[in-house]
Amino acid sequence: MKKGKAYIIGAGPGDFELLTLKAKRIIENADCIVYDRLISNDILKLAKKSAELIYLGKQNTEGGLIQDEINQALVKKCLEGKNVARVKGGDPFVFGRGGEEIEALFKNEIEFEVIPGITSSISVPAYAGIPVTHRGLARSFHIFTGHTMENGKWHNFESIAKLEGTLIFLMGVKNLDLIVKDLIKYGKNSKTPVAIIEKGATKNQRVTVGNLENILELVEKNRITPPAITVIGEVVNLREIFKWFETENLAKKILVTRDRKQAVEMSENISKRGGIPVELPFIEIENLKIDLKDLEKYKAILFNSPNGVKAFFENIKDIRCLANIKIGAVGVKTKKILEKNRIVPDFIPNEYLVDKLAEEVVKYTNENDNILIVTSDISPCDIDKYNSLYKRNYEKVVAYNTKKLKVDRKKVHETLKDVDIITFLSSSTVEAFYESLDGDFFILGNKKIASIGPMTSETIRRLGMKVDYEAEKYTADGLLDVIFK
Ligand code: SAH
C-alpha cells in the first residue's frame, strides 16, 4: 500500500485567522488530523467530513510519554495510507517538538512537509500591544522555555541577566518565581517591566503588567493560569500606547434560539453587525393546511407574523379574492413578506402587538364587519375581547403551529459554554429553553438575556431569569439594534 504523507503544521496562536493559507488547504484535504489543546475548534471545522480527528493533548511540551504516542500515531496513520495533518499551536519548531515527530517519520521512510506557523512567542506580545523589538529600546529578543530542563538542568541565568534585549518565556507560569529570583540575583534591574499574557489572541486574553519586583504578587492575585507568555523588558511599557486588542470589545457570541429556517436570516444579520451567531433552535414552525374558501366575506385580514403570511400564501388558490380587503401587518417584517407576495398592507400599528393590530383595524372597517386574524397556535390573540371592545366580528385562523423542542441538556450546556448573549424571540422559545435546562440555571452565569418585547420579557422573568436587553422595536432586528448599541 502507498504510504501517506505527514504534514507538520503550525496553526498560529489563539486567533483562528492567523492560520496560513497553506495550512488551511492542507487541513481541508487531510485524511487524518492529529491535534492538541491549543488548537481552536474553528480549525477542526475545516476538516473534510470523512477525516479522522485524533486528539492527543498534553499540558506542555515536556510530556515524554505522550510524545511517543503522538509519534506512533503519526507513523501508524501514514502507514495506513492516510495523509496526516499534525496541527500544533504556534510554530511546530518553537518548543513544539516537531523535530521529534520528523525523526520518527524519517525512520519509517514516510514523506513529510513542514508548514511553519506564527509563533505565540512574538504574536501574543503583539496582541498585547508589545513589540518584541523597538528602536532605542530593544535590539534583540530571546525566547526561552520556562520549564525546568530534564535532569534538573536550569538556564544559565548569569548570562541571561546580562542580555539587553527582550526576554520572552513560554511555559513560564509555574517557574516564574525561579525566573524572577535568578534574574534579580544576577543583576537585572528589579524595576524592569514584566507583562504576562494569558490566552493570547483569544477572546479570553488577559494581560497583567508589573515589574520583576511585584509580578509574583500580581500572578497570585490574578490567579494566572497557562497558556501564558511572560515578556520582560522596557518594550512592555509601549503597551500603554500600542494596545489595540481589547477583549471587552470583542465579537460577542449570540445564541439564536428561533426556528432553524428563520434563524438563517438572524444569524446573517448578527455577522453583519460584527457578532458571532450560534444557533440552537428551541422551536419548530409547522405550517398548517387551512381552508381559505370564503375570504370575500371579510372586510379586513390581519397578519400577526411573517410566518402567518407565508403559511397563508401556501394555502391560497387565487389572490384576486383579496382585492377589496383591507390588509394589516403587525410589523415591518410582516409587511416585507406581504410585499414579497405583491400585497402592500394598508397599515401597521405603532406598537408591534396583535392587540394594537386589532385596535388599528377599527379605522378601516365599520361596525359588525368580519375581520380575519391570521395567527399561530400560541399567539395571545383574544378575539372575544376584540369583539366586545370594538364591535366587530373578529375571527382567527391558526396558520401554523409552533412546536417547542426539548433539547438535550448536555447539548444546551455545551453550546452555552462560550455564548455571551442569549436571544429569545417568543415566549415559547423561553419555555422550551427552560424545560430543556430542567431548571438548571447555573450555566447561565453572567450571560446576558435579550428579549424581543414585553410579553417575552414577562415569560423570562416568570421563569426566574432576568432580562438584560429588550428591543424597542419588537423585531429580531430591533433586538439586535439594542444589543449592538
Ligand atoms: N509552538 C508553540 C509553543 C508551544 S509551547 C508556539 O510557537 O507558539 C506552549 C506554550 O506556548 C504555552 O505554555 C504558552 O507559554 C505559549 N502559548 C501558546 N499559545 C499561547 C496563547 N494563545 N497565549 C499565551 N501563551 C501561549
Side-chain angles (χ1 to χ4, degrees), residues 227-247:
I229 282 189
T230 307
V231 187
I232 304 173
E234 297 302 323
V235 288
V236 166
N237 289 335
L238 291 171
R239 170 175 156 77
E240 285 293 304
I241 307 168
F242 291 5
K243 69 169 178 222
W244 57 275
F245 183 70
E246 283 311 313
T247 36

Side-chain angles (χ1 to χ4, degrees), residues 256-463:
V256 178
T257 52
R258 68 192 315 191
D259 171 77
R260 193 170 296 287
K261 274 185 245 137
Q262 298 174 298
V264 179
E265 193 187 342
M266 181 159 175
S267 292
E268 277 172 12
N269 287 332
I270 289 172
S271 300
K272 270 189 212 147
R273 291 169 186 256
I276 302 169
V278 180
E279 291 180 14
L280 187 62
F282 282 89
I283 50 164
E284 196 177 74
I285 303 278
E286 176 193 33
N287 289 353
L288 300 175
K289 287 260 154 296
I290 45 176
D291 182 8
L292 296 176
K293 266 202 307 269
D294 306 321
L295 288 179
E296 275 96 348
K297 77 174 195 201
Y298 299 104
K299 284 285 171 340
I301 299 180
L302 308 180
F303 290 94
N304 186 26
S305 67
N307 282 321
V309 179
K310 286 179 204 155
F312 183 87
F313 282 97
E314 266 176 27
N315 284 285
I316 195 163
K317 288 217 172 55
D318 184 350
I319 59 166
R320 285 176 299 178
C321 66
L322 299 177
N324 299 314
I325 302 177
K326 295 288 179 207
I327 306 279
V330 74
V332 276
K333 242 356 258 284
T334 308
K335 174 171 181 254
K336 262 202 201 123
I337 307 289
L338 277 166
E339 285 170 354
K340 267 204 187 135
N341 289 288
R342 297 287 183 268
I343 303 272
V344 180
D346 297 281
F347 64 93
I348 312 185
N350 277 337
E351 230 183 323
Y352 297 169
L353 296 172
V354 65
D355 284 358
K356 299 292 171 194
L357 193 60
E359 184 184 330
E360 185 91 1
V361 75
V362 172
K363 289 188 210 150
Y364 297 83
T365 48
N366 299 312
E367 247 174 58
N368 297 325
D369 278 354
N370 291 318
I371 297 168
L372 182 68
I373 307 180
V374 180
T375 185
S376 75
D377 56 334
I378 50 151
S379 157
C381 167
D382 182 350
I383 53 172
D384 293 336
K385 184 173 89 182
Y386 309 146
N387 284 341
S388 69
L389 270 175
Y390 308 122
K391 315 245 162 357
R392 273 126 182 94
N393 180 32
Y394 292 86
E395 285 173 31
K396 78 170 178 188
V397 58
V398 172
Y400 62 96
N401 282 338
T402 327
K403 215 171 77 204
K404 288 194 248 172
L405 299 177
K406 177 130 186 160
V407 185
D408 178 55
R409 184 152 63 133
K410 268 234 273 324
K411 188 161 174 208
V412 182
H413 274 234
E414 197 50 44
T415 312
L416 280 184
K417 243 197 246 150
D418 47 31
V419 159
D420 302 297
I421 301 172
I422 303 165
T423 60
F424 290 117
L425 275 62
S426 69
S427 288
S428 52
T429 42
V430 183
E431 284 159 10
F433 178 81
Y434 177 84
E435 285 154 23
S436 300
L437 269 184
D438 228 353
D440 178 8
F441 283 172
F442 191 66
I443 180 79
L444 292 181
N446 49 12
K447 297 178 195 315
K448 302 269 184 274
I449 294 184
S451 151
I452 193 165
M455 306 250 288
T456 304
S457 298
E458 205 184 291
T459 310
I460 294 171
R461 293 197 189 96
R462 179 167 54 78
L463 295 176

